[in-house]
Amino acid sequence: NAGVTQTPKFQVLKTGQSMTLQCAQDMNHNSMYWYRQDPGMGLRLIYYSASEGTTDKGEVPNGYNVSRLNKREFSLRLESAAPSQTSVYFCASSALPGPGNTIYFGEGSWLTVV
Amino acid sequence: EDQVTQSPEALRLQEGESSSLNCSYTVSGLRGLFWYRQDPGKGPEFLFTLYSAGEEKEKERLKATLTKKESFLHITAPKPEDSATYLCAASKGGATNKLIFGTGTLLAVQP
């Protein structure tokens, strides 16, 4: 019953450092997503992968890259972290890519860039 | 512009005091209206999906309803364990599954 698993849970980075957030789902879902959540703002989509082998930009992709490693895993990379990327990051998945399909979220990764 | 607005921002209830949370949306070609519950330090937990105006869904003390402009989450006789942030999100028409989220309603139920 793991669902969507993210690592690490917490991370502190210095400005300019790079890091990768890892995500895996065990629900055999086709589509995966990365969102960020900031105070006073709704969850915003960074990147998504409709199916294995494809990735597309969401609403706020600048400063991020993603890799769909296989059907289970979808990673988010910050190449040169900036304080504006301090946020809570959520990985999510859905069975199918089409609109209206339920999206299930992981527990979140808290990232602070100093 | 596609937008989802939730009200109130925060709500404090006494245990057993029923109330409703509102989610207003302006989204072209709505393909689904989602409700999630989020506890502090956790990810959003799926509650309901509503697909068409007039649809209702229930789970324990929660009932979600949908009209052409808004959705309501009714909480009947709430308990302290219902305290959480409730998020509303709209899925718009198109080729991909992109949710537009509201900023949430923080519900506190006092014993």
Side-chain angles (χ1 to χ4, degrees):
Chain A
N1 291 338
V4 179
T5 304
Q6 299 178 226
T7 56
K9 180 84 170 178
F10 301 98
Q11 184 71 49
V12 179
L13 286 178
K14 293 182 178 178
T15 297
Q17 286 186 321
S18 63
M19 78 158 296
T20 299
L21 299 177
Q22 307 286 354
C23 174
Q25 53 90 9
D26 63 3
M27 296 178 283
N28 200 34
H29 284 175
N30 289 289
S31 304
M32 297 185 74
Y33 313 82
W34 277 104
Y35 283 85
R36 62 177 287 172
Q37 187 175 39
D38 300 292
M41 305 187 73
L43 283 141
R44 293 181 293 168
L45 182 64
I46 305 171
Y47 269 93
Y48 65 97
S49 171
S51 60
E52 185 178 357
T54 69
T55 61
D56 284 289
K57 295 178 180 179
E59 183 183 356
V60 288
N62 291 345
Y64 305 96
N65 283 300
V66 290
S67 296
R68 184 74 183 265
L69 305 170
N70 48 56
K71 188 173 184 178
R72 291 186 62 247
E73 299 174 288
F74 188 40
S75 63
L76 178 71
R77 182 162 178 84
L78 287 69
E79 291 291 352
S80 179
S84 61
Q85 294 178 304
T86 293
S87 188
V88 185
Y89 292 86
F90 291 99
C91 180
S93 69
S94 65
L96 297 172
N101 282 280
T102 300
I103 295 179
Y104 298 90
F105 288 84
E107 293 287 90
S109 296
W110 273 252
L111 176 65
T112 301
V113 183
V114 298
Chain B
E1 179 186 354
D2 297 321
Q3 195 168 359
V4 173
T5 303
Q6 292 188 246
S7 62
E9 290 186 7
L11 180 63
R12 182 172 294 182
L13 299 174
Q14 291 297 123
E15 184 171 2
E17 179 187 3
S18 301
S19 188
S20 296
L21 312 182
N22 177 264
C23 171
S24 298
Y25 63 90
T26 52
V27 170
S28 56
L30 183 76
R31 297 292 296 273
L33 190 293
F34 296 81
W35 283 97
Y36 290 86
R37 169 189 171 130
Q38 187 173 24
D39 293 303
K42 301 289 187 180
E45 175 188 348
F46 170 70
L47 292 173
F48 304 108
T49 311
L50 303 168
Y51 291 104
S52 57
E55 189 175 359
E56 300 183 352
K57 287 193 177 174
E58 289 187 67
K59 179 180 180 181
E60 295 181 356
R61 294 176 293 282
L62 301 177
K63 183 169 81 170
T65 63
L66 181 65
T67 73
K68 289 186 178 180
K69 294 183 178 180
E70 56 193 350
S71 178
F72 293 94
L73 184 65
H74 306 278
I75 304 175
T76 301
K79 298 182 177 181
E81 53 261 44
D82 294 321
S83 298
T85 296
Y86 291 86
L87 302 174
C88 167
S91 177
K92 62 177 291 182
T96 53
N97 196 9
K98 298 181 184 179
L99 293 182
I100 302 164
F101 277 87
T103 53
T105 293
L106 175 60
L107 174 66
V109 181
Q110 296 183 316

